[in-house]
Amino acid sequence: MSDYILSIDQGTTSTRAVVFDHSGAIVSSAQKEHDQHFPQAGWVEHDAAEIWVNTQEVISGALAEGELAAEQITALGITNQRETTVVWDKSTGEPIYRAVVWQDTRTQSLVDELAAADAAAGTDRFKEQTGLPLATYFSGPKIAWILDHVDGARERAEAGELLFGTMDTWLVWNLTGGTEGGVHLTDVTNASRTLLMNLETLDWNPEICAAIGVPEAVLPQIRSSSETYAECAASSGIPGVPIAGILGDQHAATVGQACFEPGQGKNTYGTGNFMLINTGHEPVHNDQGLLTTLAYQFGDQAPVYALEGSIAVTGSLIQWLRDNLGIIRTAPESEDRAKNVKDHGGAYIVPAFSGLFAPYWRPEARGVVVGLTRYVTADHLCRAALESVAFQSAEVVEAMNASAPEDLTELKVDGGMVVNETLMQFQADILGVEVVRPEVIETTALGAAYAAGLATGYWSSTSALTSNWREGARWSPTMDAAARAERLAEWRKAVERTLNWVE
Ligand code: ADP
């Protein structure tokens, strides 16, 4: 009887369970979307209880599709949307508030106060210790917001009655029994996105916790990304399966793309876009708008760090065209419509819906559509939306090139949007470098499976994983340098129009 690794990918739009075999090929999978709640402008929430139910459904769905029994699963790896924050009651297992999603900007005033309290450092106040600027994106301020806005929550948190987790922590606690002995832990990559962890020591930083207003009693234990943490409980549907890998989604994609050497990196096109480049065993600080973060830590080996360019809105702009404007019915239709026209017709969309992340970090920016004339159609807007994804990534690549000894020579891509060939070709054109997609584009799920499989001896070493990587498709630039420069200059003009919008 063959055995397999199961991976749960708890993403921003959906939860997937994917079963992998020894070659890194997908054996079976199941997926379920969850509701997005937008109670006010700038607020984004998920129902953590719904996500847990979906997780159980997709686990049994993936096993059923592959006609597999739990006994055939050697280990479980978990990867997750990062920073999204849930606080729950330890004794009932009920979340005390909806999960506050990474894109949510409700903590802006707290972030402003924290920056103003140290005027010299401003938003760089905790950068030295955490590698991150002060921004609404990260979990720490979201925890403080929940504790300050749910009646009695702060006192209960201080009394040790409440637990905080990102989605990995929430799922591990539930999978291991919840109120009946669930374990409360996270991995270094997820912890590195809270604004509360020391990058060098991989411990919670008590001064920063106190400054942001997070009682240490709510925080999970920080563990490596690859080790046997605990076994799944009977209630999980896969009793006895060891949970042996946890990685934030972007870190998982870095592992899934086998970026194990310094200088290797990947760009993931999902709800947002995230480019990570492995920088080796030392954290590299950056003043080009890139974050310093963990790539991964396997067991008791030295941690590996990365530089990251985070873009908040890429795939979610396509969702917005679908759900808010109604000009497409499905995400793939964005490509059909873009192909109806020869170019963008002069239109640019800069989707600064949560302000602008990398490389600008401008919270007061808001989205714009510019260059409109009577000529512009919905087809042009679809093309402009896809182009905005590539333009934003081009600016991150530029920041990476300015920070690295050598310019990027090709871009490894993955994520839900990379099936869009029009986008991939435009990405190659606007970068002037080749864009390469692996055979398995579910690199996020694959990376978590790799972490779990390394911990349990299913894979012997990272070189076994590197030899699993196979090229699936490649796009070469066809745009000439002058046209590229002109388009980039126009894009920058459009970005200018988003700035200083929120007073
Ligand atoms: P996440 O892991 O962040 O939930 P995924 O990697 O699953 O995201 O990618 C989903 C995103 O990709 C959605 O925002 C969706 O709008 C977008 N998307 C999916 N298919 C296409 C397509 N063919 N063209 C453009 N965008 C797409």
Side-chain angles (χ1 to χ4, degrees), residues 304-333:
V304 174
Y305 293 87
L307 277 176
E308 171 176 327
S310 332
I311 303 165
V313 181
T314 57
S316 55
L317 176 61
I318 304 303
Q319 292 170 340
W320 182 79
L321 295 180
R322 183 192 66 186
D323 302 338
N324 295 43
L325 299 194
I327 60 178
I328 49 175
R329 275 164 304 161
T330 63
E333 229 181 87

Side-chain angles (χ1 to χ4, degrees), residues 257-312:
Q257 289 262 35
C259 300
F260 299 122
E261 298 298 325
Q264 295 182 334
K266 62 87 207 178
N267 197 24
T268 301
Y269 297 68
T271 307
N273 268 32
F274 301 87
M275 183 168 175
L276 267 76
I277 304 280
N278 179 325
T279 61
H281 293 303
E282 298 298 323
V284 176
H285 287 275
N286 180 272
D287 55 13
Q288 308 284 332
L290 304 176
L291 309 178
T292 307
T293 194
L294 264 300
Y296 52 83
Q297 183 192 23
F298 293 149
D300 52 13
Q301 296 174 30
V304 174
Y305 293 87
L307 277 176
E308 171 176 327
S310 332
I311 303 165

Side-chain angles (χ1 to χ4, degrees), residues 87-414:
V87 176
W88 69 97
D89 184 321
K90 204 185 206 163
S91 61
T92 64
E94 300 285 330
I96 64 163
Y97 193 83
R98 280 207 198 116
V100 178
V101 177
W102 57 273
Q103 303 135 317
D104 190 293
T105 58
R106 77 185 66 191
T107 54
Q108 190 62 51
S109 57
L110 172 58
V111 164
D112 291 342
E113 276 167 37
L114 287 163
D118 182 349
T123 54
D124 285 346
R125 182 170 168 193
F126 304 129
K127 199 165 173 208
E128 177 76 29
Q129 303 95 312
T130 66
L132 310 174
L134 262 168
T136 59
Y137 179 23
F138 307 109
S139 313
K142 297 183 199 288
I143 306 172
W145 190 96
I146 294 174
L147 298 185
D148 288 332
H149 290 81
V150 175
D151 255 1
R154 184 162 284 288
E155 294 70 37
R156 297 182 58 213
E158 276 158 8
E161 295 169 21
L162 303 181
L163 300 177
F164 148 75
T166 37
M167 283 299 160
D168 55 318
T169 303
W170 168 245
L171 294 183
V172 169
W173 189 80
N174 280 293
L175 284 163
T176 56
T179 54
E180 304 293 320
V183 297
H184 187 222
L185 51 85
T186 188
D187 90 303
V188 291
T189 65
N190 278 292
S192 80
R193 318 296 295 189
T194 56
L195 256 179
L196 306 174
M197 189 189 79
N198 285 320
L199 265 186
E200 306 263 358
T201 63
L202 310 179
D203 293 322
W204 299 120
N205 179 310
E207 291 82 41
I208 300 179
C209 291
I212 296 182
V214 176
E216 284 184 73
V218 302
L219 297 174
Q221 188 189 18
I222 303 174
R223 302 278 286 266
S224 83
S225 317
S226 172
E227 59 178 287
T228 299
Y229 311 100
E231 285 186 356
C232 290
S235 55
S236 68
I238 43 169
V241 172
I243 305 176
I246 305 176
L247 285 158
D249 51 9
Q250 302 310 323
H251 315 269
T254 308
V255 170
Q257 289 262 35
C259 300
F260 299 122
E261 298 298 325
Q264 295 182 334
K266 62 87 207 178
N267 197 24
T268 301
Y269 297 68
T271 307
N273 268 32
F274 301 87
M275 183 168 175
L276 267 76
I277 304 280
N278 179 325
T279 61
H281 293 303
E282 298 298 323
V284 176
H285 287 275
N286 180 272
D287 55 13
Q288 308 284 332
L290 304 176
L291 309 178
T292 307
T293 194
L294 264 300
Y296 52 83
Q297 183 192 23
F298 293 149
D300 52 13
Q301 296 174 30
V304 174
Y305 293 87
L307 277 176
E308 171 176 327
S310 332
I311 303 165
V313 181
T314 57
S316 55
L317 176 61
I318 304 303
Q319 292 170 340
W320 182 79
L321 295 180
R322 183 192 66 186
D323 302 338
N324 295 43
L325 299 194
I327 60 178
I328 49 175
R329 275 164 304 161
T330 63
E333 229 181 87
S334 63
E335 180 165 19
D336 304 336
R337 296 211 67 163
K339 284 206 281 209
N340 287 338
V341 284
K342 68 179 191 314
D343 61 20
H344 64 301
Y348 286 81
I349 305 180
V350 187
F353 295 166
S354 309
L356 284 170
F357 283 17
Y360 298 98
W361 298 102
R362 294 290 293 261
E364 85 300 345
R366 285 298 176 269
V368 297
V369 185
V370 293
L372 295 182
T373 58
R374 270 304 292 276
Y375 175 70
V376 171
T377 64
D379 291 342
H380 292 114
L381 291 181
C382 286
R383 184 171 277 271
L386 295 176
E387 290 187 354
S388 81
V389 176
F391 279 122
Q392 292 185 94
S393 282
E395 294 199 291
V396 165
V397 168
E398 197 176 317
M400 288 284 182
N401 285 344
S403 315
E406 281 168 49
D407 280 6
L408 188 85
T409 51
E410 66 174 31
L411 184 69
K412 275 185 173 179
V413 300
D414 53 57

Side-chain angles (χ1 to χ4, degrees), residues 7-11 77-81 246-250 252 444-445 448:
S7 183
I8 296 172
D9 176 2
Q10 201 303 290
I78 295 178
T79 178
N80 56 293
Q81 52 168 324
I246 305 176
L247 285 158
D249 51 9
Q250 302 310 323
T444 305

Side-chain angles (χ1 to χ4, degrees), residues 11-14 16 269-271 315-316 318-319 331-332 334 415-417 419-420:
T12 308
T13 41
S14 72
R16 297 185 185 86
Y269 297 68
T271 307
S316 55
I318 304 303
Q319 292 170 340
S334 63
M417 290 189 93
V419 295
N420 191 313

